[in-house]
């Protein structure tokens, strides 16, 4: 709704003489503000109530009471919301007005649902359903079905929840109610998520997001981003999850929705906890608990208590953990949310395991597993089986725990949860008898190969696994086609195992066994290891879309994942090649989203190899009071109940620490960083013992540090020590020739992740990509393409698949230099594409089916490209 529409409504209000009509207009104005400003929405709703009451218009009074009650519910003020909804219900009963009564029952049901009283919620929603049926109100029926679906979902009754939601969606789609369809899409996504159908869930959330953006529903947008983030959180993609949760918090603050903010804060805390940022996580949990307590949001409060308890348990603060978990269980039982009850009982199992009370721990683990089995929630069931299986193995007998661990492995494999699957495989390996170790090793490698990871990540995981379970002194993989060696080893002292696929030589695996070797591998096992790694290499290499960058002085340089061929990017590659063998400090400058951390990881891998620690910390994302302890650690006993904690500098010793957004660091902390650079020493917070560290510092910033020095915000001596080598990353708007390469890379990346078959973008879309300013740089382009691939209905991404700000981008920029870039790029793309297609056809003896499969496109699409480039089978 445009501002002009609000002006028209206000003008209409001034002219209107009918009191009921005035109330109706006031409610309509309030509705317009409800999407973006709760305070204004409440103001106009209270005006409507006062006007209807003064004029003794009972029908208008009941409608206004209902509307105000719903605003209070959205705000999170459940006590007042309940009072106003009950008043509206009384008015409806006195007037025998089915519409007012149905709406009041609907709002009461939602309030009881938020308070965890699901039986009362079901009763209210069923009453609303009967009243809507009596009025033949289709939209009301759709709302009632939706609400019944949500209550069943909260109770863990997924089949019933999905059935009701499908009924709701069918009515909304038949009526063409796009905003209402978005609500059902959002709720269906939540149900699919619990069922483990994560691709379907993600698509539902993104389709809901599109509709929420159209109507500028900030609270709805926040919920969409939060729910998408939860899926990434479960899949272990924590950086992406954090970005989504932060976006959700931003939208919830914009509208003033405390329930949405509390949910996102809790999830953001969980992501930081999984990354090892315990103090940051604790801070976020405390903030979430304060909001939940203020608005009496018991379901979210139970979850946050449980998360805090798990954090404290990990920190060895057993007594405090027990207090939080006890409160979490009490709230979970009070609200009746079985899913959260299962999670709390699992956490209590781990608590009593730590206390040495095995029988009590066993009881809680069993109860947790039973709850998730009954609910049919696969992810939580897998996690519960994993914890219970480990507990049984380590406290009773291996043969008792193994069935649970194997069930967990199957669930993780089906859900494609690779990180936890790999850790479980390592654990299972250690349980194998000596004669079965070769088989266990192959199974563990197969799990890694199933994960479609980029080349460097894949090799790092393989080397880490081999080194750990074979007790090697060293290992490495040399990839011939990339002139890339991952791992450090003297080749002459190691066993060399060729890696090949058919006749193609891929590289060599080097293994250095200690003397005497504690484990011996048969030739058969060695051959199987080589075959599995070779298969994984082929998969990993297929994700690196562009060929290695060719410079004038070097044939091939392994900058995997760093894409670009412009002059500015070639300068960056040349500097990286020179500084990588050294240990000098490096300062990377560039706008947010230009790839500063990716460059830092590349330098680290070329300097130390992926088997050495690379520790990243965002100095802007952590409060000043916590940053020092995150960097340097905390000494045990610094305060009552405080346990010892290693800091990032200690964890990064022997490798690289990446200090992102260092321009946000306080002057006092800058002095301590300077000392580490100068003396390679530091002390923990509250500690007296000096710790030595051999760590390379790579810093990054999007600020002008020289300007900050002049303003007294940054130490000049620290800038000089950091800025031994400076790298300046160009923003995407200054390297638009690279856009097609980046588009191709991200399309193939997300095709693989979401099992899509997108072949590219339309000319209109590419044209907009060239004209857009890209304030978020490459990160923004990646997010746009990820969303578009999920939403795309056909083989190519069209304008309708883009976010609103790109769909409605102003017409073409007439600047001649931009046209020249686009013309040049289109020509280069055409020449490159023609060459790739021709080579593929010739390699496969012009077999269309094989060539299309090799190119990853359909036969029909290949025929179109052959016609486009005039390619014909030779006679």
């Amino acid at each position: 709704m445009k501002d002009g529409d609000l002006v028209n409504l206000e003008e209409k209000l001034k002219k209107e003489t009918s009191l009921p009509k005035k109330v109706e207009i006031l409610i309509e104005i309030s509705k317009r503000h409800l999407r973006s400003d709760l305070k204004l929405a409440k103001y106009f709703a209270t005006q409507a109530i006062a006007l209807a009451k003064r004029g003794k218009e009972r029908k208008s009074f009941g409608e206004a009471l209902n509307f105000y009650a719903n605003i209070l519910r959205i705000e999170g003020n459940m006590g007042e919301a309940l009072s106003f909804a009950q008043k509206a219900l009384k008015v409806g009963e006195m007037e025998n007005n089915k519409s007012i009564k149905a709406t009041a029952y609907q709002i009461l049901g939602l309030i009881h649902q938020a308070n965890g009283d699901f039986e009362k919620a079901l009763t209210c929603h069923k009453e609303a359903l009967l009243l809507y049926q009596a009025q033949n109100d289709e939209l009301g029926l759709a709302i009632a079905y939706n609400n019944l679906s949500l209550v069943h979902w909260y109770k863990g009754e997924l089949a019933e929840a999905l059935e009701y939601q499908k009924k709701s969606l069918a009515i909304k789609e038949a009526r063409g109610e796009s905003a209402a369809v978005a609500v059902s899409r959002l709720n269906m996504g939540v149900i699919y998520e619990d069922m483990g159908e994560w691709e379907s869930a993600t698509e539902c959330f993104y389709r809901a997001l599109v509709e929420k953006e159209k109507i500028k529903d900030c609270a709805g947008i926040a919920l969409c981003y939060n729910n998408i983030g939860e899926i990434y959180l479960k899949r272990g993609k924590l950086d992406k999850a954090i970005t989504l949760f932060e976006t959700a918090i931003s939208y919830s603050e914009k509208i003033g929705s405390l329930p949405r903010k509390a949910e996102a804060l809790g999830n953001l805390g969980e992501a930081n906890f999984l990354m090892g940022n315990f103090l940051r996580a604790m801070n976020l949990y405390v903030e979430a608990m304060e909001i939940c307590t203020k608005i009496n949001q018991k379901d979210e409060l139970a979850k946050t208590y449980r998360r805090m308890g798990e954090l404290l348990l990990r920190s060895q603060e057993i007594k405090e953990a027990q207090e939080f978990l006890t409160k979490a269980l009490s709230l979970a039982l009070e609200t009746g949310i079985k899913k959260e009850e299962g999670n709390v009982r699992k956490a209590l199992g781990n608590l009593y395991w730590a206390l040495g009370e095995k029988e009590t721990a066993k009881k809680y683990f069993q109860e947790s597993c039973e709850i998730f089995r009954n609910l049919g929630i696969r992810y939580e069931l897998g996690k519960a089986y994993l914890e219970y299986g480990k507990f049984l193995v380590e406290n009773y007998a291996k043969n008792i725990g193994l069935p649970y661990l194997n069930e967990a492995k199957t669930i993780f494999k089906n859900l494609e949860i690779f990180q936890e699957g790999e850790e479980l495989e390592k654990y299972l390996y250690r349980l194998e008898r000596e004669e079965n170790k070769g088989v266990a090793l192959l199974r563990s490698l197969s799990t890694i190969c199933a994960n479609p990871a980029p080349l460097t990540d894949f090799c790092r995981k393989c080397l880490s696994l081999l080194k750990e379970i074979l007790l090697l002194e060293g290992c490495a993989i040399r990839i011939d086609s990339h002139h890339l060696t991952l791992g450090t080893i003297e080749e002459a002292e190691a066993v060399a195992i060729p890696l090949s696929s058919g006749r193609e030589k891929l590289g060599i695996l080097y293994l250095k066994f200690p003397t005497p070797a504690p484990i011996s591998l048969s030739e058969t096992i060695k051959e199987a290891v080589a075959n599995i790694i070779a298969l994984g290499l082929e998969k990993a290499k297929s994700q690196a879309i562009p060929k290695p960058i060719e410079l004038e002085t070097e044939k091939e340089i392994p900058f995997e994942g760093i894409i670009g061929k412009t002059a500015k990017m070639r300068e960056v590659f040349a500097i990286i090649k020179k500084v990588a063998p050294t240990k000098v400090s490096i300062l990377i400058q560039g706008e947010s989203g230009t790839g500063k951390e990716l460059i830092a990881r590349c330098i680290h891998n070329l300097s130390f190899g992926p088997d050495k620690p690379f520790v990243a910390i965002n100095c802007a994302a952590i409060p000043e009071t916590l940053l020092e302890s995150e960097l340097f650690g905390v000494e045990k006993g610094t305060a009552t109940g405080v346990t010892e904690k290693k800091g990032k500098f200690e964890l990064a010793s022997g490798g690289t620490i990446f200090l992102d957004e260092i321009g946000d660091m306080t002057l006092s902390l800058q002095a301590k960083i300077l000392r580490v650079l100068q003396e390679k020493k530091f002390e923990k917070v509250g500690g007296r013992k000096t710790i030595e560290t051999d760590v390379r510092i790579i810093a990054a910033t999007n600020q002008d540090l020289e300007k900050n020095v002049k303003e007294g915000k940054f130490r000049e001596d620290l800038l000089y020590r950091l800025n031994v080598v400076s790298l300046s990353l160009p923003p995407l708007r200054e390297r638009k020739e690279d856009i097609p390469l980046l588009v191709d890379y991200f399309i193939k990346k997300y095709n693989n992740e979401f099992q899509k078959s997108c072949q590219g973008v339309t000319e209109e879309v590419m044209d907009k990509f060239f004209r857009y300013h890209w304030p978020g740089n490459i990160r923004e382009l990646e997010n746009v393409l990820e969303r578009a691939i999920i939403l795309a209905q056909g083989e190519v991404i069209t304008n309708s698949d883009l976010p609103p700000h790109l769909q409605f981008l102003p017409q073409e920029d007439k600047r001649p230099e931009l046209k020249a870039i686009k013309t040049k790029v289109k020509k280069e793309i055409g020449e490159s594409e023609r060459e790739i297609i021709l080579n593929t056809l010739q390699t496969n003896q012009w077999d269309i089916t094989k060539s299309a499969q090799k190119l990853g496109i359909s036969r029909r699409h290949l025929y179109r490209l052959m016609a486009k480039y005039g390619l014909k089978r030779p006679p």
Side-chain angles (χ1 to χ4, degrees):
M1 179 62 68
K2 298 178 181 178
D3 291 342
D5 296 316
L6 274 172
V7 171
N8 291 338
L9 282 171
E10 289 169 1
E11 289 297 322
K12 189 176 178 182
L13 180 65
K14 291 176 183 177
K15 296 175 183 178
E16 185 58 61
T17 56
S18 166
L19 192 146
K21 285 288 185 183
K22 279 181 173 286
V23 174
E24 186 181 320
I25 294 169
L26 281 167
I27 292 175
E28 190 61 33
I29 292 172
S30 181
K31 283 182 181 178
R32 300 297 184 260
H33 287 296
L34 184 58
R35 297 168 184 162
S36 57
D37 194 325
L38 277 175
K39 287 184 179 179
L40 277 175
K42 286 176 70 176
Y43 170 77
F44 284 105
T46 52
Q47 293 293 309
I49 290 172
L51 186 60
K53 187 176 182 180
R54 188 167 63 246
K56 297 182 179 180
E57 292 286 343
R58 300 199 65 80
K59 179 177 180 295
S60 298
F61 184 51
E63 291 171 347
L65 285 170
N66 268 329
F67 188 73
Y68 188 61
N70 198 44
I71 294 175
L72 291 168
R73 181 190 66 82
I74 292 170
E75 187 182 39
N77 191 344
M78 298 303 170
E80 276 196 76
L82 183 66
S83 175
F84 276 91
Q86 288 171 339
K87 289 177 184 177
L89 181 59
K90 286 182 181 179
V91 172
E93 288 171 344
M94 290 173 63
E95 296 294 307
N96 195 26
N97 188 305
K98 292 178 181 177
S99 177
I100 292 174
K101 286 199 293 182
T103 304
Y105 273 124
Q106 171 196 320
I107 296 167
L108 285 167
L110 292 171
I111 294 167
H112 289 312
Q113 179 180 313
N115 290 335
D117 195 337
F118 297 128
E119 294 310 316
K120 283 186 180 179
L122 277 174
T123 300
C124 289
H125 290 320
K126 286 177 180 177
E127 288 289 345
L129 179 66
L130 291 172
L131 287 163
Y132 288 132
Q133 285 174 336
Q135 300 171 82
N136 292 318
D137 184 344
E138 287 188 340
L139 185 56
L141 281 171
I143 294 170
Y145 284 136
N146 175 76
N147 292 337
L148 284 165
S149 170
L150 287 176
V151 177
H152 283 293
W153 171 72
Y154 267 107
K155 293 180 72 178
E157 298 164 355
L158 301 183
E160 293 88 342
L162 189 59
E163 182 182 350
Y164 276 121
Q165 201 57 245
K166 286 180 177 179
K167 287 181 179 180
S168 179
L169 180 61
I171 294 172
K172 294 169 182 175
E173 287 181 331
R175 290 174 55 88
E177 301 277 354
S178 59
V181 166
V183 174
S184 278
R185 292 279 184 204
L186 193 60
N187 294 332
M188 285 182 76
V190 172
I191 298 167
Y192 280 128
E193 180 182 349
D194 276 352
M195 289 179 163
E197 299 179 27
W198 288 351
E199 285 75 19
S200 297
T202 304
E203 184 172 345
C204 282
F205 293 147
Y206 269 113
R207 293 200 181 283
L209 177 62
V210 169
E211 299 303 330
K212 295 293 184 183
E213 287 173 336
K214 287 178 183 177
I215 60 175
K216 298 180 180 178
D217 178 359
C218 293
I221 292 170
L223 185 56
C224 290
Y225 277 117
N226 182 69
N227 288 357
I228 296 167
E230 284 184 346
I231 292 180
Y232 280 97
L233 184 67
K234 290 177 177 177
R235 281 184 158 161
K237 298 186 177 182
L238 302 180
D239 289 334
K240 180 73 173 179
I242 285 173
T243 300
L244 290 162
F245 295 141
E246 288 173 343
T247 305
I249 291 168
S250 174
Y251 275 101
S252 65
E253 289 176 339
K254 185 176 180 181
I255 182 68
S257 177
L258 293 177
R260 297 287 84 82
K261 184 176 180 180
E263 291 168 3
L265 282 169
N267 284 328
L268 183 59
E270 178 80 355
N272 276 276
F273 170 64
L274 293 174
M275 293 184 79
N277 301 326
F278 289 4
L279 292 175
R280 172 66 171 153
M282 186 178 291
N283 230 32
L284 291 162
Y285 291 157
V286 169
E287 189 176 354
M289 284 189 286
E290 288 173 351
I291 293 174
C292 291
T293 303
K294 178 180 178 181
I295 64 177
N296 196 31
Q297 191 172 349
K298 294 180 180 179
D299 58 337
E300 194 62 35
L301 186 58
K303 185 188 294 185
T304 312
Y305 279 157
R306 185 255 305 168
R307 286 170 161 172
M308 181 68 88
E310 290 174 327
L311 186 154
L312 291 167
L313 182 59
R314 181 77 67 86
S315 302
Q316 303 295 313
E317 297 178 36
I318 307 298
K319 184 178 178 181
E320 292 83 355
Q322 189 170 13
E323 290 176 2
F324 275 101
L325 292 177
T326 302
K327 289 192 290 185
L329 182 59
S330 176
L331 272 178
L333 292 171
E334 181 184 341
T335 57
I337 303 175
K338 299 298 291 183
K339 176 180 175 181
E340 187 53 37
E341 183 190 340
N343 280 321
V344 177
R345 290 190 183 280
K346 182 187 69 178
L348 284 166
N350 280 314
L351 172 74
Y352 283 100
W353 182 5
L355 288 169
E357 299 181 26
K358 294 195 295 183
E359 290 305 310
T360 305
K362 184 179 180 181
K363 178 178 76 75
Y364 277 120
F365 280 130
Q366 287 174 336
E367 290 169 346
S368 175
C369 293
E370 183 179 359
I371 287 172
F372 292 130
R373 272 197 303 268
N374 293 336
L375 295 178
I377 304 177
R378 297 166 65 200
Y379 173 75
E380 278 75 10
L381 181 60
K383 298 274 282 186
Y385 278 159
L386 173 61
E387 297 297 326
Y388 187 35
K390 286 183 176 179
F391 167 77
L392 291 171
V393 166
E394 296 180 26
N395 290 278
Y396 292 89
K398 184 176 71 173
N399 64 318
I400 299 175
L402 274 177
Y404 291 96
L405 295 174
N406 287 324
E407 283 292 326
K409 183 179 71 172
T410 301
I411 292 171
F412 293 154
K413 182 179 179 181
N414 291 338
L415 293 177
E416 296 185 347
I417 306 173
F418 297 110
Q419 183 175 349
E420 285 158 332
E422 289 168 16
E423 291 302 315
L424 177 53
E425 282 290 358
K426 290 180 182 179
Y427 184 81
L428 287 169
Y429 176 86
R430 290 192 288 270
L431 299 179
E432 291 286 343
R433 291 180 299 171
E434 191 70 23
E435 59 267 28
N436 291 329
K437 283 190 174 179
V439 176
L441 171 61
L442 298 179
R443 190 171 61 231
S444 299
L445 280 173
S446 296
T447 301
I448 293 176
C449 292
N451 182 0
L455 185 62
T456 304
D457 287 346
F458 166 74
C459 292
R460 176 182 54 78
K461 289 178 179 180
C462 286
L463 294 174
S464 175
L465 177 72
L466 290 165
K467 190 172 183 179
E468 178 181 347
I469 63 183
L470 295 179
L471 306 176
L472 300 171
E473 290 185 358
C475 53
I477 294 176
R478 192 184 75 210
I479 305 168
D480 293 343
S481 60
H482 284 62
H483 291 277
L484 175 63
T485 300
L486 296 166
T488 53
I489 197 169
E490 290 293 331
E491 295 178 7
E493 302 175 358
V495 175
I497 305 174
L499 304 173
S500 59
S501 176
R503 295 182 179 180
E504 182 185 0
K505 185 179 178 183
L506 300 176
I508 300 175
L509 169 66
Y510 293 98
L511 306 176
K512 184 180 180 183
F513 290 91
T515 304
I519 299 171
S520 61
L521 294 180
S522 67
E523 291 303 315
T524 303
I525 294 294
K526 287 180 184 178
E527 183 180 350
V529 166
N531 289 338
I532 292 172
I533 293 178
L535 178 63
L537 282 176
E538 285 195 309
K539 284 185 180 180
K541 287 167 65 179
S542 68
Q543 294 190 65
I545 309 312
K547 294 180 179 179
I549 303 299
E550 292 189 4
L551 303 182
E552 293 179 4
T553 56
E554 300 286 349
K555 289 184 178 180
E556 295 179 341
I557 297 178
F559 298 139
E560 184 195 351
I562 305 174
I563 298 164
K565 62 177 183 178
T566 59
K568 290 184 178 181
M569 288 306 296
R570 287 173 178 267
E571 289 176 14
V572 170
F573 295 142
I575 294 172
I576 292 174
K577 188 67 175 177
K578 291 177 181 177
V579 302
T582 72
K583 288 189 177 181
V584 297
S585 300
I586 299 171
L587 179 64
I588 306 174
Q589 295 175 296
E591 296 178 7
S592 295
T594 49
K596 297 188 288 292
E597 183 170 344
L598 191 62
I599 293 289
R601 286 184 181 276
C602 175
I603 294 170
H604 168 79
N605 287 336
L606 290 170
S607 302
F608 301 106
D611 55 328
K612 296 293 183 180
F614 176 90
V615 178
I617 186 166
N618 189 324
C619 302
I622 299 176
E624 178 186 344
T625 53
L626 301 179
L627 185 56
E628 182 177 359
S629 57
E630 287 291 338
L631 287 169
F632 302 112
V634 180
E635 191 68 36
K636 182 178 180 180
T638 301
T640 303
V642 173
T643 56
E644 184 178 7
K645 177 181 180 296
K646 289 185 177 181
K648 303 299 185 187
F649 272 100
E650 192 171 357
L651 294 171
S653 188
T656 302
I657 186 168
F658 175 58
L659 303 176
D660 198 8
E661 306 302 350
I662 197 169
D664 291 276
M665 188 178 286
T666 62
L667 289 169
S668 59
L669 267 181
Q670 290 174 30
K672 294 183 179 182
I673 297 295
L674 181 63
R675 183 194 173 199
V676 177
L677 278 165
Q678 291 173 333
E679 303 176 15
K680 304 291 185 183
K681 297 176 182 178
F682 65 91
E683 287 88 30
K684 291 182 178 181
V685 175
R688 297 181 179 179
K689 180 183 176 182
T690 299
I691 300 172
E692 295 188 3
T693 182
D694 178 21
V695 63
R696 179 187 200 159
I697 296 179
I698 301 178
T701 183
N702 57 11
Q703 299 181 25
D704 184 342
L705 293 187
E706 291 185 357
K707 180 183 176 184
N708 287 0
V709 168
K710 292 177 183 177
E711 294 174 353
K713 298 178 182 177
F714 201 84
R715 294 181 62 107
E716 186 174 21
D717 47 2
L718 177 59
L719 176 59
Y720 290 147
R721 289 301 301 255
L722 290 173
N723 200 18
V724 176
V725 174
S726 179
L727 275 171
S728 181
L729 300 186
L732 186 55
R733 61 183 173 274
E734 292 180 8
R735 45 178 293 213
K736 290 194 172 181
E737 289 176 70
D738 291 331
I739 288 178
L741 290 174
L742 291 162
V743 168
D744 192 30
Y745 177 83
F746 290 130
I747 284 177
K748 292 191 176 181
K749 174 182 176 180
Y750 289 110
N751 271 346
N752 189 40
E753 182 166 334
F754 295 110
Q755 288 80 53
K756 298 287 185 176
S757 56
C758 180
Q759 302 301 324
V761 303
T762 63
E763 287 190 15
E764 179 188 12
V765 169
M766 186 61 79
D767 179 69
K768 288 188 173 184
F769 284 176
F770 276 114
R771 289 190 283 114
Y772 184 53
H773 192 60
W774 297 110
N777 293 295
I778 298 171
R779 185 186 296 124
E780 183 182 4
L781 174 62
E782 179 176 4
N783 291 338
V784 165
L785 287 166
E786 178 185 8
R787 166 186 169 142
I789 286 167
I790 291 170
L791 295 174
Q793 300 285 357
E795 289 187 344
V796 294
I797 293 170
T798 65
N799 187 55
S800 63
D801 302 320
L802 301 179
H805 67 282
L806 279 168
Q807 282 189 37
F808 305 107
L809 196 67
Q811 289 301 308
E812 184 173 2
D813 193 327
K814 301 299 182 182
R815 288 177 295 172
E817 65 271 20
L818 185 56
K819 285 189 174 182
I821 291 174
K822 288 161 63 177
T823 302
K824 178 184 176 184
V825 168
K826 284 182 180 179
K827 181 182 177 183
E828 290 180 356
I829 291 172
E831 291 173 355
S832 175
E833 190 172 47
R834 185 184 189 281
E835 182 182 351
I836 291 169
I837 292 168
L838 179 58
N839 289 339
T840 304
L841 287 165
Q842 289 173 341
T843 301
N844 292 282
Q845 288 77 47
W846 290 82
D847 185 309
I848 301 299
T849 300
K850 288 183 180 179
S851 299
Q853 289 174 346
K854 190 72 174 176
L855 291 165
I857 61 178
S858 66
R859 285 167 52 89
R860 184 175 58 182
H861 189 53
L862 178 54
Y863 276 123
R864 285 201 297 266
L865 291 172
M866 289 171 65
K868 176 181 177 181
Y869 295 119
L871 299 174
K872 295 180 180 180
R873 183 194 296 268

